[in-house]
Amino acid sequence: MAAAFCLLTACSAASPRQVQRGLQLVLDHRAAPAVDTIEVFVCAVPLPTDDPIYGTLPLRLDLSAKTIAAAMEAHVRPYFTQLSHGRYQPHFTAGTTLTMDAGETHDHCVDRALDASAVDVAAVLVVANAEHLSTEPGGWGKPGAACPTSFCRAASTRRSAYVGASDFHPDNGTVPLLDLIEHELGHTLDLPHSGDAAAAYDSALDVMSNSAAPREVQPGRKDAQDTIAIDRLELGWLSAADVTVAPAGGGRFDLLPSNGDDVGGGTRLLVLPVSDLTFLTVEYLDNTGLDDALPVAGIAVHRIDQSPGVCTKPAAGVCAGIDREQIALGSAPPHTDLLRAAGTTWTVDGWTIAATGSVAGDAPGRAGVEVHATGG
Ligand SMILES: [Zn+2]
C-alpha cells in the first residue's frame, strides 16, 4: 500500500507510464473471434469407473452430442451474443459419443475428443453422462495454446471445456442449466476467475465467478449473469476509447454502464493506477439485461493484478489472460452491495472512491464518482 501511494503522489510523474503496462497487457490481448465453432462431444462413463471425479455415483444420462449441440445453439449462442453486444457468436456442431473404458479419466476422454474434432473446429465442449461427486468441481475450461492466426484447430491448440452431467439432469427440464457451461466457455476465451484461488466463486457480479448466483434469486433461471468491464476489454467488447485513466490527482467522472448498450462518447471503465502491473477498475453496473438479478445498480471496484506473484507459471514475467488476478473490493461477498448512495465512499489500495449521487439524478443512466489518491 505504501509503495502504491508513493507511485501515485511523490512518484506521480511515473504513474501514467507505469499503469499503461498493466492496462496495455489487457488492451493487447487477442480479441475474441466474431464467430467461433465449437464441437460437442459426449463421454459415456462406464460403471464402475476408476475416475475419482465420479466416485461410485450410479446415474448415467442418455445424452447425445446432437441434442446438446442444438440446445447450445438455441440458448448459449444467444447468451454470448447478448453478453458481447453482438461481437461474439459461438456456433455449436455435433461430434460423437466417446465410450470411456474403466481405467480412463475424463481428461483422457477430452483428449480423444480434441483428436477427433473436425478441421474447422476451434474448441470442443465435452459433456460426461455421469454426475461428479459433490466434492468435485463441476467442470473446467482451458484457452489452449495461443493462436497467432485468425483460426487455429482445436486439435492443435487443445482449447476445450468439460462439464459433468449434473446440469443435464431431467429434473432441470427440457433446457439444461447453462451457467456453468457459459463460465467454462469463458475460460476457453482466456478469461480468469473474479477472485483469488481461495475465493474464486465468491462474486455474484461476474459469470467468471459464481455463475449460479442469478438462479439463487431467480428460480428457473438457466443463464449466467453478465461479466465485468475488464473482461470485456480483454476480449475486445470494450475499446480503449471506452476507458479513462484517472490522473494522479484524481477527479470527477460520469460513468456509463459497463454492461449497457454501446452509445459512444462516454467512459465505461475508469482505471485507477496502483503500480506497474496493478490497477483498480471502477465501473457502473446497471441491474438490467443479464444483470437483472442484481438487487441494485451501482459502482463496482476490482483490483486487477498481473504481477508475476499471482500465478504459478508467469509467462514473460506477467500473469495475463486466464492467469490475471481480479478481486472485487469494497464490499463483502457476494459483492452485490454496490457503491451507490451519494456521499458514500470506499477507500481501497491508496484510492478513495466516492459516489456523487447522479445514478438516478440529473444524468439518468450514468453514475457519478469522485476519486482521490489517499494520504499515507
Ligand atoms: Zn472456472
mmCIF file of all heavy atoms in Angstrom, residues 23 28 59 71 88 139 152 163 180 184 192 199 208 263 266-268 290 314 328 352:
data_model
loop_
_atom_site.group_PDB
_atom_site.id
_atom_site.type_symbol
_atom_site.label_atom_id
_atom_site.label_comp_id
_atom_site.label_asym_id
_atom_site.label_seq_id
_atom_site.Cartn_x
_atom_site.Cartn_y
_atom_site.Cartn_z
ATOM 1 N N LEU A 23 -2.434 -2.020 -18.024
ATOM 2 C CA LEU A 23 -3.600 -1.806 -18.879
ATOM 3 C C LEU A 23 -3.307 -2.231 -20.311
ATOM 4 O O LEU A 23 -4.145 -2.825 -20.993
ATOM 5 C CB LEU A 23 -4.000 -0.332 -18.818
ATOM 6 C CG LEU A 23 -5.251 0.083 -19.582
ATOM 7 C CD1 LEU A 23 -6.467 -0.701 -19.106
ATOM 8 C CD2 LEU A 23 -5.487 1.588 -19.419
ATOM 9 N N ASP A 28 -3.814 -5.300 -25.270
ATOM 10 C CA ASP A 28 -3.091 -6.055 -26.300
ATOM 11 C C ASP A 28 -3.602 -7.482 -26.457
ATOM 12 O O ASP A 28 -3.167 -8.200 -27.369
ATOM 13 C CB ASP A 28 -1.599 -6.122 -25.964
ATOM 14 C CG ASP A 28 -0.898 -4.788 -26.193
ATOM 15 O OD1 ASP A 28 -1.498 -3.911 -26.845
ATOM 16 O OD2 ASP A 28 0.240 -4.635 -25.710
ATOM 17 N N LEU A 59 -25.744 -42.839 -11.586
ATOM 18 C CA LEU A 59 -26.562 -42.264 -12.660
ATOM 19 C C LEU A 59 -25.779 -42.145 -13.967
ATOM 20 O O LEU A 59 -24.656 -41.660 -13.987
ATOM 21 C CB LEU A 59 -27.059 -40.872 -12.242
ATOM 22 C CG LEU A 59 -27.961 -40.163 -13.251
ATOM 23 C CD1 LEU A 59 -29.331 -40.828 -13.315
ATOM 24 C CD2 LEU A 59 -28.102 -38.682 -12.914
ATOM 25 N N ALA A 71 -29.189 -27.617 -28.237
ATOM 26 C CA ALA A 71 -29.545 -26.808 -27.065
ATOM 27 C C ALA A 71 -28.570 -25.645 -26.889
ATOM 28 O O ALA A 71 -28.972 -24.523 -26.541
ATOM 29 C CB ALA A 71 -29.563 -27.695 -25.819
ATOM 30 N N TYR A 88 -19.527 -11.465 -30.471
ATOM 31 C CA TYR A 88 -19.024 -12.838 -30.387
ATOM 32 C C TYR A 88 -20.189 -13.809 -30.501
ATOM 33 O O TYR A 88 -21.146 -13.721 -29.717
ATOM 34 C CB TYR A 88 -18.295 -13.054 -29.060
ATOM 35 C CG TYR A 88 -17.910 -14.492 -28.805
ATOM 36 C CD1 TYR A 88 -16.914 -15.098 -29.565
ATOM 37 C CD2 TYR A 88 -18.530 -15.244 -27.810
ATOM 38 C CE1 TYR A 88 -16.552 -16.425 -29.337
ATOM 39 C CE2 TYR A 88 -18.172 -16.559 -27.569
ATOM 40 C CZ TYR A 88 -17.184 -17.134 -28.337
ATOM 41 O OH TYR A 88 -16.829 -18.440 -28.118
ATOM 42 N N GLY A 139 -16.679 -28.680 -13.570
ATOM 43 C CA GLY A 139 -16.052 -28.785 -14.881
ATOM 44 C C GLY A 139 -14.816 -27.915 -14.941
ATOM 45 O O GLY A 139 -14.330 -27.438 -13.918
ATOM 46 N N CYS A 152 -7.362 -21.325 -35.438
ATOM 47 C CA CYS A 152 -6.494 -22.468 -35.160
ATOM 48 C C CYS A 152 -7.364 -23.648 -34.759
ATOM 49 O O CYS A 152 -8.329 -23.497 -33.998
ATOM 50 C CB CYS A 152 -5.521 -22.162 -34.015
ATOM 51 S SG CYS A 152 -4.324 -20.868 -34.373
ATOM 52 N N VAL A 163 -17.689 -30.487 -18.770
ATOM 53 C CA VAL A 163 -18.590 -30.470 -17.607
ATOM 54 C C VAL A 163 -19.130 -31.870 -17.365
ATOM 55 O O VAL A 163 -19.226 -32.694 -18.293
ATOM 56 C CB VAL A 163 -19.789 -29.495 -17.797
ATOM 57 C CG1 VAL A 163 -19.309 -28.048 -17.884
ATOM 58 C CG2 VAL A 163 -20.628 -29.869 -19.014
ATOM 59 N N LEU A 180 -22.933 -22.887 -15.915
ATOM 60 C CA LEU A 180 -21.597 -23.468 -15.755
ATOM 61 C C LEU A 180 -20.909 -23.602 -17.118
ATOM 62 O O LEU A 180 -19.718 -23.298 -17.256
ATOM 63 C CB LEU A 180 -21.685 -24.832 -15.065
ATOM 64 C CG LEU A 180 -20.345 -25.556 -14.913
ATOM 65 C CD1 LEU A 180 -19.426 -24.796 -13.974
ATOM 66 C CD2 LEU A 180 -20.552 -26.987 -14.412
ATOM 67 N N GLU A 184 -17.409 -21.989 -18.224
ATOM 68 C CA GLU A 184 -16.256 -22.736 -18.759
ATOM 69 C C GLU A 184 -15.889 -22.255 -20.171
ATOM 70 O O GLU A 184 -14.702 -22.209 -20.524
ATOM 71 C CB GLU A 184 -16.543 -24.241 -18.768
ATOM 72 C CG GLU A 184 -16.966 -24.848 -17.433
ATOM 73 C CD GLU A 184 -15.990 -24.629 -16.279
ATOM 74 O OE1 GLU A 184 -14.905 -24.065 -16.501
ATOM 75 O OE2 GLU A 184 -16.333 -25.015 -15.146
ATOM 76 N N PRO A 192 -10.110 -15.104 -16.710
ATOM 77 C CA PRO A 192 -9.816 -15.665 -15.381
ATOM 78 C C PRO A 192 -11.047 -15.601 -14.480
ATOM 79 O O PRO A 192 -12.078 -15.015 -14.846
ATOM 80 C CB PRO A 192 -8.737 -14.709 -14.858
ATOM 81 C CG PRO A 192 -9.136 -13.381 -15.426
ATOM 82 C CD PRO A 192 -9.749 -13.679 -16.796
ATOM 83 N N ALA A 199 -11.123 -17.669 -3.161
ATOM 84 C CA ALA A 199 -12.460 -17.067 -3.270
ATOM 85 C C ALA A 199 -12.868 -16.935 -4.726
ATOM 86 O O ALA A 199 -13.466 -15.952 -5.130
ATOM 87 C CB ALA A 199 -12.465 -15.705 -2.584
ATOM 88 N N MET A 208 -17.692 -15.193 -14.500
ATOM 89 C CA MET A 208 -16.427 -15.865 -14.227
ATOM 90 C C MET A 208 -16.154 -16.005 -12.727
ATOM 91 O O MET A 208 -15.019 -16.242 -12.314
ATOM 92 C CB MET A 208 -15.279 -15.152 -14.938
ATOM 93 C CG MET A 208 -15.413 -15.102 -16.446
ATOM 94 S SD MET A 208 -15.902 -16.687 -17.220
ATOM 95 C CE MET A 208 -14.493 -17.711 -16.755
ATOM 96 N N VAL A 263 -23.207 3.279 -26.536
ATOM 97 C CA VAL A 263 -23.800 4.532 -27.003
ATOM 98 C C VAL A 263 -22.730 5.504 -27.479
ATOM 99 O O VAL A 263 -23.033 6.502 -28.128
ATOM 100 C CB VAL A 263 -24.653 5.194 -25.899
ATOM 101 C CG1 VAL A 263 -25.853 4.325 -25.578
ATOM 102 C CG2 VAL A 263 -23.837 5.463 -24.656
ATOM 103 N N GLY A 266 -18.549 8.176 -24.067
ATOM 104 C CA GLY A 266 -18.509 8.258 -22.614
ATOM 105 C C GLY A 266 -17.578 7.226 -22.015
ATOM 106 O O GLY A 266 -17.109 6.315 -22.702
ATOM 107 N N THR A 267 -17.328 7.381 -20.721
ATOM 108 C CA THR A 267 -16.449 6.456 -20.007
ATOM 109 C C THR A 267 -17.254 5.277 -19.489
ATOM 110 O O THR A 267 -18.218 5.450 -18.756
ATOM 111 C CB THR A 267 -15.771 7.179 -18.825
ATOM 112 O OG1 THR A 267 -14.975 8.247 -19.343
ATOM 113 C CG2 THR A 267 -14.898 6.222 -18.040
ATOM 114 N N ARG A 268 -16.832 4.112 -19.858
ATOM 115 C CA ARG A 268 -17.496 2.902 -19.353
ATOM 116 C C ARG A 268 -16.584 2.135 -18.406
ATOM 117 O O ARG A 268 -17.016 1.178 -17.761
ATOM 118 C CB ARG A 268 -17.931 2.016 -20.511
ATOM 119 C CG ARG A 268 -18.983 2.705 -21.380
ATOM 120 C CD ARG A 268 -19.339 1.893 -22.589
ATOM 121 N NE ARG A 268 -20.099 0.705 -22.251
ATOM 122 C CZ ARG A 268 -20.318 -0.289 -23.087
ATOM 123 N NH1 ARG A 268 -19.815 -0.243 -24.306
ATOM 124 N NH2 ARG A 268 -21.027 -1.339 -22.721
ATOM 125 N N LEU A 290 -28.721 -9.116 -18.614
ATOM 126 C CA LEU A 290 -28.181 -10.311 -17.972
ATOM 127 C C LEU A 290 -27.897 -10.070 -16.491
ATOM 128 O O LEU A 290 -27.732 -11.021 -15.727
ATOM 129 C CB LEU A 290 -26.903 -10.762 -18.691
ATOM 130 C CG LEU A 290 -27.082 -11.289 -20.119
ATOM 131 C CD1 LEU A 290 -25.725 -11.532 -20.773
ATOM 132 C CD2 LEU A 290 -27.913 -12.574 -20.123
ATOM 133 N N PRO A 314 4.281 -17.632 -14.431
ATOM 134 C CA PRO A 314 4.159 -16.405 -15.234
ATOM 135 C C PRO A 314 4.941 -16.510 -16.533
ATOM 136 O O PRO A 314 6.102 -16.916 -16.546
ATOM 137 C CB PRO A 314 4.722 -15.331 -14.314
ATOM 138 C CG PRO A 314 5.579 -16.070 -13.331
ATOM 139 C CD PRO A 314 4.969 -17.417 -13.156
ATOM 140 N N ALA A 328 -12.986 -8.437 -6.444
ATOM 141 C CA ALA A 328 -13.956 -7.393 -6.094
ATOM 142 C C ALA A 328 -13.581 -6.798 -4.740
ATOM 143 O O ALA A 328 -13.296 -7.530 -3.788
ATOM 144 C CB ALA A 328 -15.363 -7.975 -6.049
ATOM 145 N N THR A 352 -9.493 6.757 -2.677
ATOM 146 C CA THR A 352 -10.840 6.918 -2.141
ATOM 147 C C THR A 352 -11.783 7.137 -3.318
ATOM 148 O O THR A 352 -11.545 7.997 -4.178
ATOM 149 C CB THR A 352 -10.918 8.108 -1.170
ATOM 150 O OG1 THR A 352 -10.135 7.795 -0.018
ATOM 151 C CG2 THR A 352 -12.351 8.353 -0.732
#
